[in-house]
Amino acid sequence: MRKWVTGARPLLALGFVAVVAWLALRGLPDGLAKGRLHVWFLDVGQGDAVLIQTPDGKQILVDGGPSPSALASELGAVMAFWDRSLDLVVLTHPDTDHSAGLIPLFDRYRVAGALDAVSTGDAAAAAWIGATEGISRTTAARGAQIKAGRVLLTVLNPASAPETAETGNNDSLVLRVDYGATSLLLTGDAETEAEDSMMAAGLPLRADVVKVGHHGSHASSSREFLAAVQPQLAIISVGAENRFGHPAPELLARLEGVEVLRTDQRGRIELISDGMRWVAR
Ligand SMILES: [Zn+2]
């Protein structure tokens, strides 16, 4: 078990006005969740799937990895066996290593809401849009905020709602997660173009933990972006021996001095915050 302490953090700097959703209080927090934010980087192979459980017991799934069966197995391992509901499912972008696992999820779980940044003209997004039919779905852009109990989610990217063009890596929905003095960035597959846009906009990027963009691709996590984030811990969600060569040696070199945890080496990674510091296990 590793521990690292965070300093006091200034309140989110602002200009953020839109509140897209207030998640209603539902259910009772289980014993595990009380007073703690849990974040699981699920072991889904070459892809991303992140489950957030707030201290108030709200559950938010960000992406679903490439495989419905791998996602079901991982969710079964971390959620109570009777728990078949999720408060919010977020799709960062429609690439299948993020979306394919999610499509059948809506038949097995009661999902209260969905959040994305997809274009309706995007062929890859059609399966997601179909799967979320009948669920309250919000397409968000920079500035949107979601209050989930004591946890605040802020959308940092894309800069504006996608239109008809296909959704690319740089249109990834990037989420900032704040709980007390602790913070986390979930960057989807954002590459340097999106990172430059977030820096140019002067967004609050500094965060204790970053899930690096695009599985550790060399085209993500520029030196400048990492300098803006100043992470103490970097998570790389990546499949073992993947055909893309992720994570790139150049990216690992840029992370020198930052603690790195990789799903291909550790399997599922759990982070826990009490609002003052993170603990990984
Ligand atoms: Zn990806």
Side-chain angles (χ1 to χ4, degrees), residues 175-195:
L175 273 183
R176 178 184 178 89
V177 180
D178 282 281
Y179 173 48
T182 60
S183 51
L184 161 71
L185 284 189
L186 298 174
T187 62
D189 277 359
E191 298 179 340
T192 47
E193 181 186 318
E195 294 170 359

Side-chain angles (χ1 to χ4, degrees), residues 34-71:
K34 270 181 191 155
R36 302 265 194 281
L37 166 66
H38 292 252
V39 182
W40 290 274
F41 298 86
L42 302 175
D43 186 10
V44 292
Q46 178 68 11
D48 276 10
V50 183
L51 180 67
I52 299 168
Q53 183 164 294
T54 73
D56 317 276
K58 293 181 179 61
Q59 293 159 321
I60 300 161
L61 179 64
V62 181
D63 289 340
S67 155
S69 61
L71 179 66

Side-chain angles (χ1 to χ4, degrees), residues 43-252:
D43 186 10
V44 292
Q46 178 68 11
D48 276 10
V50 183
L51 180 67
I52 299 168
Q53 183 164 294
T54 73
D56 317 276
K58 293 181 179 61
Q59 293 159 321
I60 300 161
L61 179 64
V62 181
D63 289 340
S67 155
S69 61
L71 179 66
S73 158
E74 283 291 278
L75 288 178
V78 300
M79 291 172 67
F81 73 88
W82 65 82
D83 187 356
R84 283 288 177 274
S85 68
L86 291 163
D87 296 277
L88 182 67
V89 174
V90 180
L91 178 65
T92 61
H93 67 301
D95 285 356
T96 54
D97 57 322
H98 300 250
S99 67
L102 292 176
I103 303 308
L105 178 89
F106 297 92
D107 297 330
R108 291 201 299 264
Y109 286 79
R110 276 178 293 111
V111 177
L115 181 72
D116 63 37
V118 302
S119 156
T120 51
D122 188 327
W128 159 257
I129 292 171
T132 53
E133 228 167 63
I135 289 165
S136 167
R137 183 174 68 85
T138 303
T139 296
R142 180 171 297 164
Q145 291 191 307
I146 299 159
K147 189 93 173 65
R150 286 176 280 163
V151 174
L152 181 64
L153 307 182
T154 304
V155 176
L156 303 183
N157 194 71
S160 56
E163 296 176 357
T164 52
E166 295 218 338
T167 316
N169 285 345
N170 284 309
D171 301 310
S172 284
L173 192 145
V174 174
L175 273 183
R176 178 184 178 89
V177 180
D178 282 281
Y179 173 48
T182 60
S183 51
L184 161 71
L185 284 189
L186 298 174
T187 62
D189 277 359
E191 298 179 340
T192 47
E193 181 186 318
E195 294 170 359
D196 290 348
S197 163
M198 290 186 278
M199 288 189 287
L203 300 180
L205 294 174
R206 197 175 161 204
D208 309 323
V209 183
V210 62
K211 184 219 71 84
V212 302
H214 200 192
H215 322 288
S217 157
H218 69 89
S220 297
S221 311
S222 68
R223 282 198 188 282
E224 295 76 13
F225 185 71
L226 290 173
V229 178
Q230 298 177 50
Q232 296 165 51
L233 173 69
I235 305 286
I236 305 179
S237 185
V238 66
E241 292 167 20
N242 65 80
R243 63 193 168 93
F244 308 101
H246 294 157
E250 305 95 292
L251 177 271
L252 294 175

